Amino acid sequence: MNDNKPPNDIRPGRLSQEQIAANFADMHPPLTPSESIIDADRCYFCHDAPCTTACPTGIDIPGFIQKIRSGNLKGSAKTILEENIMGGMCARVCPTEVLCEQACVRNTHEDRPVRIGLLQRYATDAIFETGIPLFERAAATGRKVAIVGGGPAGLSCAHRLAMLGHEATIFEPMDKLGGLNEYGIAAYKTVDDFAAREVEYILGIGGIEVRTGVGLGKDVSLGELRKTFDAVFLGLGLAGVNGLGLDGEQLEGVANAVDYIAALRQAPDKASLPVGRRVIVIGGGMTAIDIAVQSKALGSEEVTLVYRRGQEQMNASRYEQEFAQTRGVNIRCWSSPRKLLTANGRVHAVEFETTRAGITGKLEGTGQSYLLDADVVFKAIGQKLLTDPVANSAEIVELKQDRILVDEQRRTSLPGVWAGGDCVHGGEDLTVSAVQDGKLAAISMDKFLRSA
Ligand SMILES: Cc1cc2nc3c(=O)[nH]c(=O)nc-3n(C[C@H](O)[C@H](O)[C@H](O)COP(=O)(O)OP(=O)(O)OC[C@H]3O[C@@H](n4cnc5c(N)ncnc54)[C@H](O)[C@@H]3O)c2cc1C
Ligand code: SF4
């Protein structure tokens, strides 16, 4: 091995401020009023609308589109937000191509759905810009609920509880609320600090106390929360990151995609972020696509996303894969990392073994390998629940496949404790599903709190 390798080429300022601003511009700019009317006019207002069935939060989609058509934007926004209080963020980040827009009957008639996501954004933007209140609190019940985690699941739960007259207290270790809306979603999907504006709107209903800098399992225990509050909601997300299981992972040049994305989302000046000239991304989901596209947008010359199976099996949708490819990302499939090549305490290349699906479909190596040079290697092979806060105490919440087990009302195995979002078993790991979980848990808690 060559110990005299030059340092990895990682540096800030690969592109000018103007180029970076253009690369991180709004991915789907908002519709103009006339565009919105033209699109709304394409809706058939289907009975038993398949788009609504496909929406995890069950928004009355033809209902809100009809209101856009009649110029009732406030009513349209209310129709959206009463089912999904993060309808503004979901309009920006939902993979509509596999949800409502895939189900839209216009797809079969004309091969082009009604642009539901953009219409949803059109209807809700004005509300978030002006802060017009659409929801009021019911008469106070005097019941108190602890919400663990201030991400989409926790915020949705807190807002619905506030609407129902209960008091919610959010415990969040980070400085800001929003979870991955604030620290994870690709920057070009949510520009102009939208995540923070949405949180402000949600808290505007009142009755929600926020305690940042407080983590479950560190500053407060589940037992304490159960004693102090009438109910508890766990919306912890997935704070752990899966490793590659290879020697050298801790060395310079290897990073967790989610950590870099969080830094990118919080950077006041993106040009100041250190960027590798050649970047390898290992993974096949949304996080892998996002780190690959954003590395390119920051000025990496060569970005290669490597996935162990075929493109059809990637968790990222075909639309996202094509989006990455049009942004200059190379996608290599059927390859698994076998070794990190290091020199002077840094990783400078990855050896991959090519793979194939065996007779039973199980992944197997072919024995053939190749090398890819890299200045930075991003790990994007999934996040995991850090179970200590919920399983390492006298108050044990039952887990299934390392996530929290819940029933259809999002009740856990512990009486008085609900959970939702990415931390629960069987979910979709999408913002919209987390919002739905929080809402369903709050409705279930309401029944419990009123009967107790
Ligand atoms: C890089 C990336 C890109 C994504 N892009 C998209 C996208 O484009 N579209 C989409 O629909 N979905 C996307 N997702 C998925 C989506 O962000 C999540 O499904 C969603 O945020 C889940 O919400 P949540 O509230 O369950 O968890 P989170 O958003 O993770 O929020 C959990 C909160 O709990 C807090 N917490 C953690 N541990 C503790 C503790 N011990 N005590 C108290 N609080 C704690 C965290 O700090 C956080 O604020 C993406 C995910 C990633 C990682
Ligand atoms: S499926 Fe398409 S056409 Fe039918 S109601 Fe939904 S958006 Fe309109």
Side-chain angles (χ1 to χ4, degrees), residues 130-431:
T130 53
I132 299 169
L134 292 176
F135 303 98
E136 278 176 17
R137 296 192 65 202
T141 62
R143 296 307 191 125
K144 294 181 178 11
V145 179
I147 309 274
V148 181
L155 285 163
S156 162
C157 186
H159 187 267
R160 185 58 56 136
L161 287 167
M163 276 172 72
L164 294 164
H166 309 299
E167 277 175 41
T169 304
I170 300 179
F171 296 89
E172 167 58 55
M174 305 294 277
D175 291 342
K176 297 184 191 174
L177 294 184
L180 289 169
N181 284 359
E182 176 62 45
Y183 294 99
I185 298 280
Y188 44 77
K189 289 187 186 171
T190 164
V191 301
D192 296 336
D193 226 3
F194 180 76
R197 284 191 282 135
E198 190 172 54
V199 168
E200 207 177 306
Y201 184 83
I202 289 172
L203 298 181
I205 191 170
I208 305 175
E209 189 192 336
V210 177
R211 294 197 203 159
T212 51
V214 184
L216 183 73
K218 187 168 157 271
D219 308 295
V220 65
S221 74
L222 190 51
E224 282 162 350
L225 293 182
R226 288 183 79 205
K227 271 194 209 115
T228 322
F229 291 85
D230 298 304
V232 179
F233 176 77
L234 301 171
L236 297 156
L238 303 173
V241 177
N242 290 329
L244 299 171
L246 298 176
D247 287 344
E249 258 181 80
Q250 72 294 347
L251 294 181
E252 196 186 314
V254 183
N256 291 325
V258 285
D259 294 342
Y260 190 85
I261 290 172
L264 190 157
R265 281 293 309 275
Q266 299 304 308
D269 172 16
K270 293 190 183 62
S272 68
L273 288 165
V275 185
R277 185 168 72 80
R278 294 155 311 172
V279 169
I280 293 177
V281 175
I282 300 174
M286 229 177 231
T287 305
I289 295 284
D290 283 0
I291 189 65
V293 172
Q294 291 183 109
S295 295
K296 202 77 186 123
L298 288 169
S300 295
E301 283 175 22
E302 202 179 294
V303 179
T304 310
L305 184 154
V306 186
Y307 179 55
R308 63 199 171 125
R309 287 184 180 268
Q311 266 188 267
E312 311 71 49
Q313 286 92 33
M314 283 172 72
N315 272 340
S317 69
R318 178 60 81 176
Y319 169 82
E320 287 167 320
Q321 295 170 33
E322 283 170 6
F323 173 71
Q325 286 169 319
T326 56
R327 296 271 177 132
V329 172
N330 307 312
I331 298 184
R332 284 185 86 144
C333 290
W334 297 111
S335 304
S336 181
R338 193 158 70 176
K339 191 173 175 192
L340 299 171
L341 279 79
T342 62
N344 307 325
R346 292 186 297 265
V347 171
H348 63 83
V350 183
E351 182 183 316
F352 289 94
E353 180 178 15
T354 58
T355 54
R356 64 184 166 217
I359 299 168
T360 58
K362 198 165 173 254
L363 195 71
E364 57 186 37
T366 64
Q368 294 185 332
S369 61
Y370 63 91
L371 277 189
L372 282 182
D373 287 335
D375 297 295
V376 174
V377 177
F378 282 119
K379 294 183 277 183
I381 53 169
Q383 289 86 246
K384 59 183 175 189
L385 175 68
L386 293 183
T387 53
D388 282 8
V390 289
N392 200 13
S393 71
E395 314 271 320
I396 293 175
V397 170
E398 195 180 335
L399 303 178
K400 185 170 181 190
Q401 291 168 337
D402 291 329
R403 302 231 193 162
I404 299 171
L405 185 65
V406 288
D407 66 11
E408 72 289 349
Q409 291 184 44
R410 309 312 188 252
R411 289 178 297 203
T412 71
S413 59
L414 272 185
V417 180
W418 282 253
D422 287 359
C423 65
V424 302
H425 175 259
E428 300 284 341
D429 292 355
L430 292 173
T431 307

Side-chain angles (χ1 to χ4, degrees), residues 42-46 49-52 61-62 65 100 103-106 114 116:
R42 293 188 63 238
C43 181
Y44 291 140
F45 306 106
C46 308
C51 52
T52 290
I61 292 171
I65 294 179
C100 53
C104 176
V105 298
R106 278 281 193 179
V114 174
I116 301 167

Side-chain angles (χ1 to χ4, degrees), residues 13-64:
R14 288 192 179 274
L15 297 179
S16 68
Q17 298 280 4
E18 292 71 29
Q19 283 169 310
I20 289 198
N23 290 350
F24 283 93
D26 207 336
M27 183 179 170
H28 297 298
L31 296 175
T32 62
S34 53
E35 285 170 335
S36 76
I37 295 297
I38 292 168
D39 242 77
D41 274 342
R42 293 188 63 238
C43 181
Y44 291 140
F45 306 106
C46 308
H47 181 63
D48 281 340
C51 52
T52 290
T53 311
C55 171
T57 53
I59 292 173
D60 174 7
I61 292 171
F64 92 70

